[in-house]
Amino acid sequence: MQQIFNFIFKNSNRLLFLLLLCISFLLTIQSHSFHRSKMISSANFLSGGVYQQINDVSEYLNLRTENEALALENARLKSILFNTKDTSYLKRMDSIKGIPADDVLVSKVIRNSYNVHENFLTLNSGSNDGVKQDMGVINDLGIVGIVDNTSPQFATVLSILNVKSRINAKIKKSNHFGSLIWNGKSTGFAQLVDVPRLAAIRKGDTIVTGAQSAIFPENINIGTIDKVEIDDQTHYYTITVKLFNDMTNLGHVYILKSKNREELLNLEKRNTDE
């Protein structure tokens, strides 16, 4: 306490000056509307900046919740898209159908390999969530892969960046079909093989999933044509496809149930047996 009094006596002139200065500022602000408005504006600027920083921190802490909510909403919208037949948008897209609203599962990639020849992803959804082998996996940009194995809480996915992957795909403009494979080289490109030479092909044309796929709905995006070559042995086109997806950076994905898959496969098997 003695130190406080000593400080006041020692700096009495300075403290008196500051007190008089504050009083003069207050009198000036109260008697002049211009100065008062400037003072209020400055105070709002400072307090607004503080609240903005607090809000930014709060939003950052809630990013995980927000991302999960957005993923659920995207899944709902995709379900509507897959089941709507008469919108102008779907007429341009050649109708995507066959996935009921309750058959789109939201999941998250918790492990992703892309630097070996046989790449897999691990999802944080499993058989307890209704995930089964051979379900298609996509995201907002296009196809990701096919469910390979499941446990109660997790699932592994055969990535499209796997030399064993083979998916029915087509040239959107001409509807010519082929098989989408990966040659094990670049993570940004896949190959569409077995496309007949009579197909009209141009660089930049879009490649989508085909109607012959029992796993993916028709017209799910894959990529665009980057380069076209002719296989000397088969005399079919080999098309290099630039993928829409960055397969090295995957977050939330959507698992597509297909209740018609088993019926389709059984029917084809009966035809083969006969």
Side-chain angles (χ1 to χ4, degrees):
M1 194 69 178
Q2 184 64 38
Q3 291 180 346
I4 296 176
F5 286 116
N6 290 336
F7 175 81
I8 294 174
F9 290 134
K10 185 177 180 179
N11 299 278
S12 58
N13 292 333
R14 292 190 181 91
L15 293 174
L16 179 60
F17 171 78
L18 292 175
L19 178 61
L20 294 174
L21 182 64
C22 291
I23 294 173
S24 63
F25 272 124
L26 289 174
L27 293 174
T28 302
I29 292 169
Q30 289 180 356
S31 60
H32 296 82
S33 58
F34 174 79
H35 294 86
R36 184 165 59 252
S37 65
K38 287 295 183 181
M39 184 64 182
I40 294 173
S41 177
S42 299
N44 289 339
F45 174 78
L46 292 173
S47 60
V50 173
Y51 292 146
Q52 180 65 49
Q53 293 298 321
I54 294 173
N55 185 65
D56 289 345
V57 172
S58 178
E59 288 183 346
Y60 177 79
L61 294 176
N62 290 324
L63 277 178
R64 181 176 180 180
T65 302
E66 293 295 330
N67 285 338
E68 291 176 353
L70 286 173
L72 289 170
E73 179 65 14
N74 283 337
R76 186 184 71 81
L77 293 174
K78 282 184 179 294
S79 298
I80 296 173
L81 177 66
F82 292 153
N83 289 279
T84 304
K85 300 179 181 180
D86 56 356
T87 65
S88 59
Y89 178 76
L90 287 178
K91 288 178 181 178
R92 295 198 303 271
M93 293 279 293
D94 298 327
S95 266
I96 301 174
K97 56 185 178 180
I99 304 296
D102 294 335
D103 288 349
V104 179
L105 302 175
V106 181
S107 190
K108 187 177 182 180
V109 177
I110 58 176
R111 185 179 180 277
N112 179 19
S113 68
Y114 47 81
N115 54 2
V116 295
H117 282 180
E118 297 182 11
N119 293 297
F120 288 86
L121 300 88
T122 303
L123 308 182
N124 65 349
S125 302
S127 56
N128 288 346
D129 305 296
V131 182
K132 296 181 181 179
Q133 190 178 35
D134 293 330
M135 287 183 174
V137 181
I138 67 172
N139 65 4
D140 291 336
L141 296 178
I143 65 172
V144 172
I146 301 171
V147 174
D148 184 58
N149 286 300
T150 64
S151 68
Q153 298 183 48
F154 302 99
T156 56
V157 175
L158 183 77
S159 171
I160 58 174
L161 299 184
N162 189 309
V163 293
K164 294 183 178 179
S165 174
R166 197 174 187 90
I167 297 170
N168 179 255
K170 69 177 183 178
I171 303 167
K172 184 177 179 181
K173 183 183 294 184
S174 67
N175 284 324
H176 284 94
F177 290 90
S179 295
L180 187 78
I181 63 172
W182 187 55
N183 61 11
K185 295 181 180 179
S186 173
T187 59
F189 297 88
Q191 291 69 45
L192 185 64
V193 299
D194 300 332
V195 179
R197 291 184 61 180
L198 55 86
I201 298 174
R202 292 179 58 185
K203 183 176 180 178
D205 285 349
T206 301
I207 304 298
V208 296
T209 52
Q212 298 178 20
S213 175
I215 296 175
F216 294 99
E218 188 178 8
N219 292 314
I220 299 294
N221 283 333
I222 297 175
T224 57
I225 295 176
D226 184 71
K227 186 169 61 174
V228 180
E229 299 174 315
I230 298 176
D231 191 309
D232 294 332
Q233 296 180 344
T234 64
H235 299 290
Y236 281 81
Y237 284 125
T238 295
I239 300 172
T240 300
V241 180
K242 185 177 181 181
L243 300 173
F244 287 132
N245 256 322
D246 178 1
M247 294 297 295
T248 67
N249 183 23
L250 297 172
H252 284 92
V253 295
Y254 308 105
I255 305 170
L256 308 178
K257 298 181 182 179
S258 179
K259 295 179 180 178
N260 298 327
R261 171 179 163 75
E262 292 184 7
E263 178 184 348
L264 178 61
L265 293 178
N266 289 334
L267 179 62
E268 291 178 346
K269 186 176 184 300
R270 280 168 48 192
N271 289 337
T272 303
D273 294 340
E274 292 173 358

